[in-house]
Amino acid sequence: MEQTKAKFSKLAPVMLCFFVMGFVDLVGIASNFVKADLNLSDSTANFLPSLVFFWFLIFSVPTGMLMNKIGRRKTVLLSLAITAFSLVLPILGDSYPIMLCAFSLLGIGNALMQTSLNPLLSNVVSGDKLASNMTFGQFIKAIASFLAPYIATWGAAQAIPSFGLGWRVLFPIYLIVSLISLLLLGITRIDEEAPDKASSFIGCVRLLGKPFILLSFLGILCHVGIDVGTNTTAPKILMEQLGISLTEAGLATSFYFILRTIGCLSGSFLLRVVKPKPFFLVSVLFLLAAMIGLSVFHDKTMIYACIALIGLGNSNVFSIIFSQALFAEPEKKNEVSGLMIMGLFGGTIFPLLMGFASDSVGQIGAVAVMSIGVVYLLFYALKIRY
């Protein structure tokens, strides 16, 4: 009993960190409200989520080196501190420069957290329970993802006390959670094993010379691009097609994350009995059907059905690509892991291209950009080995 309590006392703060990790997904709904508040173009507004994911390109591998110097727990604590500070800035004002600084810091904090939190979890739970706890951590993360649009839209509608902040009431609420997480992890002692040899940029880049690793890296780029693109664009499609307000359309983002959560949990069970290749192919076909549907349907029910297909189809793509890359180079897991995390940079490329496309031809242009990513994933499905 005492041993169970001791393990829970260490596991609970780590799981709360997964919730804080999910704060990065608030950029989708936030960029839509910033666009409306400041009367921005799609391309300018989409620069905000793009900026968040740009920092994964810069900080993923250096974070591995940092962990070897200061340890995993201290690296997560640093990420929590940066995240908390990023949430303070939008409380002070809503100008575009403030939002740029806030989103940059949010991206840097999340890049550190994404790289260091799962390794820290491995120091809390045993190897045979690690996978299930990682899945549960992703579930906790998803809760923060789909709560953000609800809180923002309720604050905008003054359905909850917002203290004059409107939709920005989201930031002090998440700030409080970040500070609690920082405090709890700060007073928790977690024993860590000796550090591994740090990965390097050179080691990662060299792996791109291996065809399957390059294909996997590009697959991660497309997966994250579709994810962030849907997060950002789903409300815009509803507003354009149905003429509804952002407050109402913003709930589409929460709906997407709910379906993605369901897909993640169901996938964790189905992948025990279904081989990755056919499962991946079916997932990509869901995405393809959704892109076709968003291009031709103008009905609210059908648009939501397409968003649901994206949520289900894209929920397990990252884990399958990541595992396939690790299996391809089992002797270089550190380098492969750093490179795949760097692939989250796709969250920068796709929203920028989608913003320019939608400024030119409407949201059908944004759908077309995401469709390119889907076609690539369909090609990648044929390269999966089993």
Side-chain angles (χ1 to χ4, degrees):
M1 181 64 71
E2 292 298 325
Q3 187 176 5
T4 301
K5 288 183 179 180
K7 180 172 289 188
F8 179 78
S9 68
K10 295 180 180 180
L11 184 60
V14 174
M15 285 300 168
L16 186 57
C17 291
F18 275 99
F19 187 87
V20 178
M21 187 192 291
F23 293 179
V24 71
D25 291 321
L26 66 81
V27 300
I29 189 65
S31 64
N32 281 288
F33 276 109
V34 172
K35 177 190 175 185
D37 290 347
L38 303 180
N39 194 27
L40 305 175
S41 66
D42 266 350
S43 55
T44 304
N46 279 16
F47 183 70
L48 292 171
S50 294
L51 186 61
V52 170
F53 288 91
F54 167 77
W55 300 108
F56 285 91
L57 178 67
I58 306 299
F59 282 96
S60 57
V61 172
T63 299
M65 301 175 186
L66 180 64
M67 283 192 291
N68 286 327
K69 289 186 177 181
I70 68 174
R72 296 166 180 172
R73 186 180 72 92
K74 289 183 179 179
T75 304
V76 175
L77 286 172
L78 177 61
S79 73
L80 288 169
I82 296 173
T83 299
F85 186 67
S86 75
L87 297 170
V88 171
L89 295 180
I91 301 173
L92 304 178
D94 60 353
S95 68
Y96 192 66
I98 286 178
M99 289 300 178
L100 285 176
C101 291
F103 281 34
S104 290
L105 289 171
L106 182 62
I108 293 170
N110 204 262
L112 268 65
M113 195 178 303
Q114 293 258 19
T115 308
S116 59
L117 188 54
N118 280 321
L120 180 64
L121 179 61
S122 69
N123 293 126
V124 179
V125 297
S126 58
D128 60 332
K129 296 181 180 179
L130 181 58
S132 61
N133 277 278
M134 282 185 175
T135 300
F136 186 71
Q138 291 301 311
F139 171 73
I140 297 296
K141 174 181 179 289
I143 294 175
S145 299
F146 71 72
L147 280 180
Y150 279 113
I151 297 172
T153 52
W154 287 343
Q158 301 297 315
I160 58 175
S162 63
F163 309 101
L165 292 172
W167 69 271
R168 288 183 293 128
V169 72
L170 170 68
F171 293 100
I173 292 174
Y174 275 6
L175 172 62
I176 292 172
V177 179
S178 297
L179 293 175
I180 293 173
S181 181
L182 181 63
L183 175 63
L184 291 179
L185 186 63
I187 62 176
T188 302
R189 180 179 176 180
I190 299 176
D191 296 324
E192 303 180 29
E193 68 266 21
D196 298 326
K197 181 181 178 181
S199 300
S200 65
F201 278 109
I202 295 176
C204 288
V205 171
R206 283 176 179 171
L207 283 175
L208 290 177
K210 297 181 178 293
F212 189 74
I213 297 299
L214 176 60
L215 291 175
S216 298
F217 176 78
L218 295 175
I220 295 293
L221 284 175
C222 292
H223 154 72
V224 178
I226 295 166
D227 181 58
V228 179
T230 303
N231 179 8
T232 305
T233 303
K236 297 176 184 177
I237 293 174
L238 288 167
M239 292 165 63
E240 180 180 272
Q241 297 293 341
L242 306 178
I244 60 178
S245 68
L246 175 56
T247 302
E248 182 181 354
L251 297 180
T253 301
S254 285
F255 179 71
Y256 166 69
F257 283 118
I258 290 172
L259 269 294
R260 197 181 72 172
T261 303
I262 294 172
C264 180
L265 289 177
S266 60
S268 66
F269 293 103
L270 289 173
L271 283 169
R272 296 178 183 179
V273 295
V274 179
K275 290 186 177 181
K277 185 167 186 173
F279 187 92
F280 190 92
L281 182 58
V282 171
S283 297
V284 178
L285 290 177
F286 277 14
L287 295 175
L288 183 61
M291 296 302 154
I292 295 173
L294 290 176
S295 301
V296 300
F297 294 123
H298 306 288
D299 174 73
K300 182 178 181 179
T301 301
M302 295 306 299
I303 292 175
Y304 266 95
C306 292
I307 295 172
L309 285 175
I310 300 174
L312 293 173
N314 209 30
S315 56
N316 296 284
V317 168
F318 179 86
S319 60
I320 294 176
I321 295 178
F322 198 97
S323 61
Q324 289 290 314
L326 290 179
F327 290 145
E329 293 291 332
E331 302 301 320
K332 298 181 179 179
K333 289 184 178 180
N334 285 343
E335 288 82 356
V336 171
S337 296
L339 193 58
M340 294 302 112
I341 294 297
M342 210 183 293
L344 298 181
F345 179 63
T348 294
I349 299 172
F350 273 70
L352 282 177
L353 296 177
M354 292 167 65
F356 289 123
S358 58
D359 280 344
S360 299
V361 297
Q363 297 308 320
I364 186 67
V367 174
V369 173
M370 288 194 292
S371 298
I372 295 173
V374 173
V375 171
Y376 177 82
L377 290 177
L378 188 61
F379 167 76
Y380 181 83
L382 303 178
K383 301 296 181 178
I384 294 179
R385 299 176 184 180
Y386 66 93

